Amino acid sequence: MRTPPDSFAAFVATKNDDGVDRDVQQWRLDDLGEGDVTIEVTYSSVNYKDGLATIPKGMVAQISPLIPGIDLAGTVVGDAAGFSDGDQVLVHGYALGMSHHGGYAQYARVPAHWVVPLDGLSPREAMVSGTAGFTAAMSVQR
């Protein structure tokens, strides 16, 4: 089983009196909050909502500091909640990148019911379409 590093890089938006500070910081897994599944993030797409999470009047970020990124794809680290070390997965929707730290970091921790196994797609292929592509596809299908 792979072991995550002691710290990792994360793009973080932090509200302050003058607006929002945005920078890359070193975080630890314990900083990520609640979740059953730890994922080594290999891809996250760029969404309009992610931009809104990083500006003062964006009304998306519900916590501060926040790691934005409303979707992510990567590899499960360790065995947890029905997933095995090395499983390739996708996460999007729910509170990801709004009130729960999102995909703009090297690692994420999320509830197991948010995690979707990648079957037939690589993490890169899943994020090429991303949340916006998934939404568009669902609209066309309906």
Side-chain angles (χ1 to χ4, degrees):
M1 247 189 290
R2 294 167 302 115
T3 303
D6 291 336
S7 67
F8 57 89
F11 175 75
V12 181
T14 306
K15 291 181 184 178
N16 62 45
D17 292 338
D18 299 325
V20 178
D21 290 328
R22 298 167 296 274
D23 61 345
V24 176
Q25 300 175 4
Q26 289 295 306
W27 276 40
R28 298 171 357 125
L29 288 179
D30 291 342
D31 298 329
L32 293 176
E34 299 292 320
D36 309 308
V37 181
T38 300
I39 300 167
E40 182 177 10
V41 178
T42 50
Y43 295 97
S44 181
S45 65
V46 178
N47 296 277
Y48 183 68
K49 202 171 190 179
D50 298 322
L52 291 175
T54 67
I55 61 174
K57 295 183 180 180
M59 298 174 36
V60 168
Q62 297 171 15
I63 60 172
S64 179
L66 171 70
I67 299 171
I70 64 166
D71 56 23
L72 63 89
T75 306
V76 173
V77 177
D79 296 334
F83 294 93
S84 298
D85 186 65
D87 286 351
Q88 292 190 324
V89 297
L90 162 74
V91 181
H92 72 96
Y94 299 95
L96 194 67
M98 298 173 12
S99 62
H100 191 94
H101 296 300
Y104 290 179
Q106 291 176 302
Y107 288 86
R109 181 179 295 133
V110 297
H113 70 276
W114 293 8
V115 181
V116 178
L118 282 175
D119 186 21
L121 290 175
S122 70
R124 181 182 184 280
E125 290 168 331
M127 285 297 98
V128 165
S129 295
T131 298
F134 177 78
T135 304
M138 292 299 292
S139 297
V140 169
Q141 184 180 26
R142 289 200 174 131

